[in-house]
Amino acid sequence: MQSQGLPSQIGVRPAPELANRFLTQSFGWMMAAVLITAVVAIPVVGSESFLNWAYRSWLFITLATFALGIGVQLAIPKVQPLVGLLLFFVYAAALGVTVGVVSSLYEVQSVVTSFLGASAMFGGAAIYGATTKRNLNSIGGFLFMGMIGILVASLVNWWLGSSGFGFIIAVIGVIIFTVYTAYDVQKISYGDYAAVLGMEKASIFGAVHLYVDFINIFLFLLRIFGSRR
């Protein structure tokens, strides 16, 4: 998606009513996706046979889910809005497997606490992104490089198995995706996605970004503060 000439690039912000509409639709689809993820994750946690398979196939599950997420984001601008929404929900269901497998390693209280903590951090960053007068466009490149760095470091640590290195990755991950939340919310409120994709596709595309931000904050917080079973 080209960014040159977008509203956030030239400092043009839509009327508050229109900005709120952009945000409301994106947050609505994002929350629906989080609910789908939770609905899938709960039975995964309770299935010992599936978990045993998932632990052995963890690298495959992680890479497949990541590839699916990239594919969905590439597909949404090219397909009908309803198809894009269905693809997003399929991705949310697939990520429910990942969330369920990870959550199975921790005490229920830790999962709940991390979810609430992620909600608070996500909400605070979202409010900042929607209300700040500072243009966050300039940090987009740094955030993307940081996200790629986390992915590579996580794959390396999968082989190393270093708890200390994993903790550092988790702390950096929380920071990056919290800042990413503010960045994405501002792009949605400025109408950047709507200017390129149209209102319906933009709300879904923005929701995917917000969903990824929230899920990653939750998983990294769980890694930092969670008590293992």
Side-chain angles (χ1 to χ4, degrees), residues 76-162:
I76 287 175
K78 301 176 182 178
V79 300
Q80 294 298 316
L82 180 58
V83 176
L85 183 61
L86 291 175
L87 289 174
F88 176 30
F89 287 164
V90 168
Y91 173 56
L95 203 54
V97 174
T98 301
V99 171
V101 173
V102 174
S103 297
S104 70
L105 301 174
Y106 296 89
E107 299 289 346
V108 174
Q109 183 178 357
S110 295
V111 175
V112 174
T113 301
S114 297
F115 182 85
L116 294 176
S119 300
M121 295 184 70
F122 179 88
I127 291 172
Y128 177 80
T131 59
T132 183
K133 297 185 182 300
R134 179 183 177 184
N135 194 310
L136 304 177
N137 237 327
S138 60
I139 66 174
F142 296 104
L143 291 173
F144 181 76
M145 288 188 293
M147 181 177 64
I148 297 299
I150 289 174
L151 175 63
V152 173
S154 297
L155 290 174
V156 170
N157 197 46
W158 185 82
W159 279 286
L160 294 178
S162 171

Side-chain angles (χ1 to χ4, degrees), residues 11-32:
V12 176
R13 198 158 195 165
E17 295 80 7
L18 188 57
N20 289 336
R21 184 182 172 191
F22 293 152
L23 290 171
T24 299
Q25 290 193 8
S26 289
F27 275 106
W29 293 131
M30 174 256 182
M31 287 187 285

